Amino acid sequence: MSKKVAMIGAGYVGLVTGACFASQGHRVICVDVVPEKVEQINAGITPIFEPGLEDLLTHTRSEGLLNATLDAVSAIKEAELVFIAVPTPSKEDGSIDLSFVEEASHTIGRTLKEAEHWKTIVVKSTVVPGTTENIVGKIIEEESGKKRGADFGLAMNPEFLKEGKAVEDFLNPDRVVIGAIDPKSFDEVKALYEWTEAPVLKTTPTTAELIKYAANSFLAMKISFINEIANYCELLGVDVSEVAQGIGLDERISPKFLRAGAGFGGSCFPKDVAALYSHSKHLGREMRLLKATLEVNKRQPLRTVELLREEIGALTEKSIAVLGLAFKPDTDDMREAASIPIIRKLIEEGAMVKATDPIAIPNAQKILSHSNLEYYETISDTLKNTDALILVTEWEMFKQLTPLEIKSLMRGNIVIDGRRVWKPELFQKHGLIYRGIGLGRRDNKSI
Ligand code: UGA
């Protein structure tokens, strides 16, 4: 059955969720505070880069199922389900900043005061365990004078979308988690997911909140684990890719999220692991594995610079190409990207940096600017006259580069593979010095 949904926050999660619900026949109004974003959505243009999203916007808008507005109150009044999909950034100390969630809860509460019909309020933002019941539910009750369970529903429904694959992930979920305070709230949210055959988990809101954090923390921990193994492999003359393959074939481990490299970035893993760690510490049960996961990840991007230094010596006045700026391929997102500490370190050590990325340059320019840093649109302009290159983001176009092309463009012959995408033997055969994360030099055993 078609439902009326208000999506508070038309950011990455809100817009993808809203457009995907609309694609399944639900009527969705996205609410945002940025007028340009609202205008863009209403013109069928996506404000973010996400494959498949623009088609979905055009299609659902033409059917009258998706709209955007600045007017939260009217949108909430109209809706049967109100989703909170606002940002939950990190504070300086790593703990979560819930001010946008609180603000949305106040607006919802005030609007609910006048509401005649039942509405279910659903938290989609990633929030620390306890937030939906203790903060969102409490604020709404205080503002509206109404009671959860009796006058309105309350649920938490985490998202498990990967950037660049968000639409695909949403429409083909591994599972749907619905943490609801009562059966009615659960049924209301479940009705939105009638189209999927994925298992639906019925939990409390607090359990749902923790499932989201635990999932991201586990994946992040897997990456830091393989990066630790990678750094150790370098001392043994062992290739971490072979180790990852060897352990990944064990079904209990699986080969996914076992790619060693320059570390994890993005808007989720670093922030969510830090928030969960900070919350556990606050409650007096510090999760030490999470602390270690973050520490390993902080150090990891700089391994690329260390490998470079081992080959080139001092970096003063050396010209270094950086291939890839975004935190991962197929996105222009620069949040917590490994390229940031790498480029800063190169500049700090006196190098001249030439950087490129297929789409993230405009975002990178907002974060990284220095007289010793230049951005180039093409690979050939980037590599020209450089002494070495560091591959930071494994875009397909970089993976396709051959040793011959690289050799013909560069002045020097040092290649640092920060994502282990190239075949070392091919590079060595063409007279290039290849160093990769987690690949020991067989002549350089310290054992
Ligand atoms: C991540 C999760 O994968 C999603 O399930 C989750 O919904 C999302 O966070 C979120 O909380 O919103 P995302 O940040 O888009 O998704 O990106 P991932 O594809 O998970 O990659 C994260 C980082 O880990 C990237 O920097 C990537 O390069 C790195 N990574 C990933 C590795 O270094 N090795 C791997 O094997 C896999």
Side-chain angles (χ1 to χ4, degrees):
M1 207 178 63
S2 168
K3 291 275 177 192
K4 285 192 266 180
V5 178
M7 188 65 63
I8 313 293
Y12 168 72
V13 171
L15 187 55
V16 171
T17 306
C20 288
F21 281 155
S23 76
Q24 302 304 316
H26 302 293
R27 306 181 79 82
V28 180
I29 304 189
C30 291
V31 180
D32 208 281
V33 289
V34 182
E36 300 82 62
K37 214 186 258 183
V38 168
E39 279 164 31
Q40 279 180 312
I41 298 168
N42 283 335
I45 302 165
T46 156
I48 50 164
F49 177 81
E50 191 58 48
L53 187 58
E54 198 134 306
D55 283 351
L56 224 54
L57 287 190
T58 319
H59 170 72
T60 52
R61 285 201 40 75
S62 71
E63 301 207 330
L65 293 170
L66 183 79
N67 281 298
T69 180
L70 291 165
D71 183 357
V73 173
S74 315
I76 297 166
K77 272 188 188 155
E78 283 292 307
E80 296 165 273
L81 289 116
V82 182
F83 274 74
I84 299 178
V86 295
T88 48
S90 282
K91 292 189 198 159
E92 279 288 300
D93 63 355
S95 68
I96 192 172
D97 176 356
L98 288 172
S99 52
F100 296 116
V101 172
E102 288 167 2
E103 210 179 299
S105 307
H106 282 290
T107 310
I108 295 168
R110 282 196 295 270
T111 315
L112 240 59
K113 200 172 180 177
E114 314 293 328
E116 285 160 19
H117 302 290
W118 169 285
K119 293 181 196 300
T120 303
I121 316 308
V122 192
V123 175
K124 194 72 173 161
S125 305
T126 300
V127 291
V128 285
T131 304
T132 302
E133 297 232 52
N134 304 335
I135 297 180
V136 176
K138 190 161 162 267
I139 293 176
I140 296 174
E141 284 184 341
E142 281 167 5
E143 288 280 4
S144 65
K146 297 192 168 172
K147 278 258 144 276
R148 67 184 85 176
D151 307 310
F152 69 93
L154 187 63
M156 201 280 158
N157 173 220
E159 58 84 18
F160 301 104
L161 315 174
K162 294 185 289 297
E163 276 191 48
K165 293 254 176 344
V167 172
E168 197 182 311
D169 284 350
F170 194 97
L171 296 174
N172 305 289
D174 294 330
R175 76 302 206 187
V176 174
V177 176
I178 303 174
I181 57 157
D182 60 6
K184 189 167 177 186
S185 305
F186 173 80
D187 290 342
E188 281 291 292
V189 181
K190 187 164 183 280
L192 294 171
Y193 290 96
E194 261 167 11
W195 42 273
T196 172
E197 288 178 3
V200 177
L201 263 75
K202 189 177 184 174
T203 69
T204 66
T206 306
T207 306
E209 289 161 340
L210 182 54
I211 287 173
K212 167 68 192 183
Y213 271 122
N216 272 3
S217 298
F218 186 80
L219 294 170
M221 187 182 70
K222 249 186 126 174
I223 300 170
S224 276
F225 174 81
I226 201 67
N227 283 337
E228 283 271 70
I229 295 285
N231 300 340
Y232 176 64
C233 281
E234 288 166 19
L235 303 174
L236 306 178
V238 164
D239 182 348
V240 72
S241 314
E242 290 175 23
V243 178
Q245 190 190 12
I247 62 172
L249 284 168
D250 183 329
E251 276 182 6
R252 294 168 302 175
I253 297 174
S254 119
K256 292 183 184 160
F257 282 74
L258 270 190
R259 276 180 291 114
F264 59 78
S267 61
C268 305
F269 285 172
K271 168 175 84 77
D272 292 351
V273 180
L276 186 56
Y277 171 69
S278 157
H279 196 238
S280 71
K281 203 171 164 200
H282 173 73
L283 296 182
R285 290 279 157 86
E286 180 182 5
M287 293 198 224
R288 283 165 297 177
L289 276 177
L290 301 188
K291 189 179 184 193
T293 299
L294 291 170
E295 279 169 3
V296 170
N297 197 54
K298 188 156 197 265
R299 205 181 54 199
Q300 198 60 18
L302 300 180
R303 275 303 299 148
T304 59
V305 182
E306 284 161 19
L307 289 175
L308 174 64
R309 242 193 272 104
E310 281 177 25
E311 298 302 333
I312 211 168
L315 290 172
T316 330
E317 310 234 321
K318 295 283 178 354
S319 176
I320 312 296
V322 170
L323 300 184
L325 294 161
F327 86 93
K328 67 174 189 179
D330 302 317
T331 176
D332 63 352
D333 198 334
M334 282 295 296
R335 284 175 288 180
E336 305 285 333
S339 62
I340 302 171
I342 291 174
I343 290 176
R344 286 198 176 133
K345 186 75 182 162
L346 291 171
I347 291 173
E348 188 191 303
E349 300 211 359
M352 321 286 283
V353 180
K354 299 178 77 182
T356 190
D357 189 283
I359 57 172
I361 293 177
N363 284 341
Q365 280 167 329
K366 292 179 205 154
I367 303 169
L368 294 163
S369 94
H370 192 275
S371 52
N372 285 357
L373 167 65
E374 283 182 343
Y375 294 96
Y376 293 87
E377 294 292 333
T378 66
I379 297 176
S380 50
D381 285 344
T382 314
L383 291 183
K384 206 175 286 169
N385 290 328
T386 51
D387 298 295
L389 78 79
I390 305 181
L391 178 124
V392 181
T393 318
E394 66 277 33
W395 284 92
E396 198 52 43
M397 64 195 288
F398 302 145
K399 285 190 193 169
Q400 300 296 336
L401 276 171
T402 65
L404 275 177
E405 281 169 311
I406 291 175
K407 204 175 165 187
S408 68
L409 291 163
M410 275 171 53
R411 166 168 82 198
N413 64 346
I414 300 167
V415 171
I416 310 294
D417 186 349
R419 297 288 171 187
R420 296 300 310 280
V421 296
W422 290 315
K423 289 205 166 62
E425 358 22 292
L426 285 184
F427 281 70
Q428 283 147 0
K429 206 167 89 190
H430 287 94
L432 290 161
I433 297 174
Y434 174 98
R435 297 295 306 274
I437 297 275
L439 180 72
R441 281 192 307 192
R442 284 176 209 280
D443 61 340
N444 186 23
K445 284 190 200 173
S446 1
I447 47 170

